Amino acid sequence: MYGRFNILSLSNEKFGLNTVILLENTKHYKEAKSAYIAALNRWKNDKELLFGLTNIHFLEKDYKSAKKFYEKVNDLKNGPLLNNLAITYLRLKECTKAKNTILQAISLNDNYKTFYEDTLNEINALCR
């Protein structure tokens, strides 16, 4: 029963994170959001947990909240985060920020570069 899930009963931070990710991956966003918030109350400085909570806002298309949290995580070497932040800016019609952010992700030259290039193409198509 997901509604009674209690992240605080978990003894290990990484086990807790993996459990919350399972909720997220099975589209139990409300429960995952509650679990991320509870976990962040226990492990306040965990960027992975904050990134996870931010992704829930993104998946729920709550782009204003997603923007706030992505900017709070502020990990300029995390390509997937930069990609999602660029899409968030795009959805909020902040085209210059979207383009600059995705170019930063592309410059990381990581395994997801072609994915980021697809995002850049979307930005270019919608921001003329």
Side-chain angles (χ1 to χ4, degrees):
M1 185 174 298
Y2 296 110
R4 293 187 182 170
F5 178 77
N6 184 356
I7 189 77
L8 296 177
S9 68
L10 300 172
S11 60
N12 179 293
E13 180 178 2
K14 294 305 170 195
F15 175 76
L17 178 61
N18 289 335
T19 304
V20 178
I21 289 171
L22 177 63
L23 287 170
E24 182 179 338
N25 288 340
T26 57
K27 299 186 180 185
H28 290 91
Y29 299 139
K30 179 180 177 184
E31 294 83 0
K33 187 187 296 184
S34 295
Y36 277 124
I37 290 168
L40 282 163
N41 285 330
R42 184 169 182 178
W43 299 291
K44 296 188 184 317
N45 297 318
D46 190 298
K47 285 192 174 191
E48 287 182 79
L49 290 170
L50 187 57
F51 185 38
L53 175 61
T54 305
N55 282 339
I56 297 295
H57 289 291
F58 180 82
L59 292 168
E60 292 179 328
K61 298 181 180 4
D62 179 2
Y63 297 116
K64 287 183 182 180
S65 294
K67 175 186 170 183
K68 178 179 83 171
F69 285 110
Y70 281 133
E71 289 174 344
K72 185 175 180 179
V73 173
N74 194 22
D75 187 347
L76 303 179
K77 295 190 181 200
N78 183 324
L81 181 146
L82 292 170
N83 183 74
N84 288 3
L85 179 56
I87 293 170
T88 298
Y89 285 140
L90 179 62
R91 298 298 180 257
L92 295 172
K93 303 198 183 327
E94 297 180 34
C95 291
T96 301
K97 285 183 178 182
K99 189 165 189 174
N100 290 339
T101 302
I102 201 60
L103 289 173
Q104 189 172 4
I106 290 169
S107 74
L108 296 174
N109 204 25
D110 67 12
N111 293 335
Y112 303 105
K113 185 176 180 179
T114 56
F115 186 70
Y116 309 148
E117 289 168 346
D118 290 342
T119 300
L120 177 60
N121 290 336
E122 182 181 357
I123 291 167
N124 287 334
L126 296 174
C127 294
R128 294 181 184 232

